[in-house]
């Protein structure tokens, strides 16, 4: 995808384009199930505007990492958005299969996603050596359910109160 087009996608991520993302995802999914998938640049641009569908597209259709989605996540400013946080976590865990420090800024905005990432990707508690570790621990500490799970299920390290 040319840089100018990708920049437009990054700067216009909103739920206002949700219907276009849904339609594009459905179109690509139908082609995938007919074994006639041809990557469509217009459909992919629409899908990139909705992180949930972008994750599903990479997972269900591409079955591999999607560099365009990784770039969108890397370049987007973090904001409190559970869908974005969960999509970034799911992508790191289920598609990349490894820690993705460049998308952690999105994950730490949601306490439950931050706990799941610590448990299933980091394999340890967040700590101050992690770029977003202090933010993750603060976010988790304000969510009683997440905090309980974090304290009882995440391998001990230098996380909250350690």
């Amino acid at each position: 995808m040319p840089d100018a087009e990708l920049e437009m996608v990054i700067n216009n991520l909103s739920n206002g384009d949700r219907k276009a993302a849904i339609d594009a995802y459905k179109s690509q999914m139908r082609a995938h199930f007919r074994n006639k998938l041809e990557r469509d640049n217009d459909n992919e641009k629409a899908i990139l505007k909705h992180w949930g569908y972008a994750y599903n597209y990479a997972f269900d259709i591409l079955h591999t990492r999607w560099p365009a989605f990784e770039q969108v996540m890397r370049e987007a400013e973090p904001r409190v958005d559970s869908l974005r946080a969960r999509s970034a976590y799911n992508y790191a865990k289920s598609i990349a299969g490894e820690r993705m420090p460049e998308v952690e800024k999105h994950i730490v905005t949601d306490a439950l996603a931050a706990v799941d990432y610590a448990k299933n990707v980091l394999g340890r508690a967040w700590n101050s050596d992690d770029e977003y570790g202090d933010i993750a621990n603060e976010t988790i500490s304000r969510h009683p359910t997440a905090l309980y799970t974090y304290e009882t299920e995440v391998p001990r390290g230098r996380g909250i109160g350690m």
Side-chain angles (χ1 to χ4, degrees), residues 5-107:
E5 290 178 337
L6 186 59
E7 190 62 31
M8 279 185 31
V9 169
I10 292 167
N11 291 329
N12 293 307
L13 291 175
S14 72
N15 284 335
D17 294 314
R18 187 169 191 264
K19 182 172 179 354
I22 293 168
D23 291 344
Y25 178 80
K26 286 180 180 177
S27 173
Q28 294 297 92
M29 186 61 90
R30 282 191 294 274
H32 172 70
F33 282 121
R34 289 190 310 263
N35 293 320
K36 295 182 180 187
L37 178 66
E38 291 183 22
R39 306 246 335 239
D40 181 293
N41 193 40
D42 289 336
N43 279 342
E44 288 189 351
K45 283 193 303 188
I47 292 166
L48 282 169
K49 292 181 181 181
H50 191 282
W51 288 24
Y53 288 106
Y55 161 72
N56 287 335
Y57 181 69
F59 185 82
D60 294 331
I61 297 172
L62 300 178
H63 306 290
T64 191
R65 294 178 81 147
W66 187 15
F69 183 42
E70 290 183 23
Q71 185 173 354
V72 166
M73 290 189 289
R74 187 173 48 253
E75 295 181 9
E77 290 297 318
R79 65 181 191 212
V80 177
D81 183 330
S82 293
L83 177 66
R84 281 184 169 204
R86 183 56 59 181
S87 298
Y89 158 70
N90 285 336
Y91 188 91
K93 177 181 179 275
S94 301
I95 296 172
E98 63 185 3
R99 182 177 184 187
M100 295 183 69
E102 66 275 14
V103 303
E104 290 175 357
K105 64 186 176 183
H106 303 294
I107 295 167

Side-chain angles (χ1 to χ4, degrees), residues 110-124:
D110 180 85
L112 295 172
V115 169
D116 287 343
Y117 188 81
K119 180 179 173 184
N120 299 313
V121 177
L122 296 177
R124 60 168 173 76

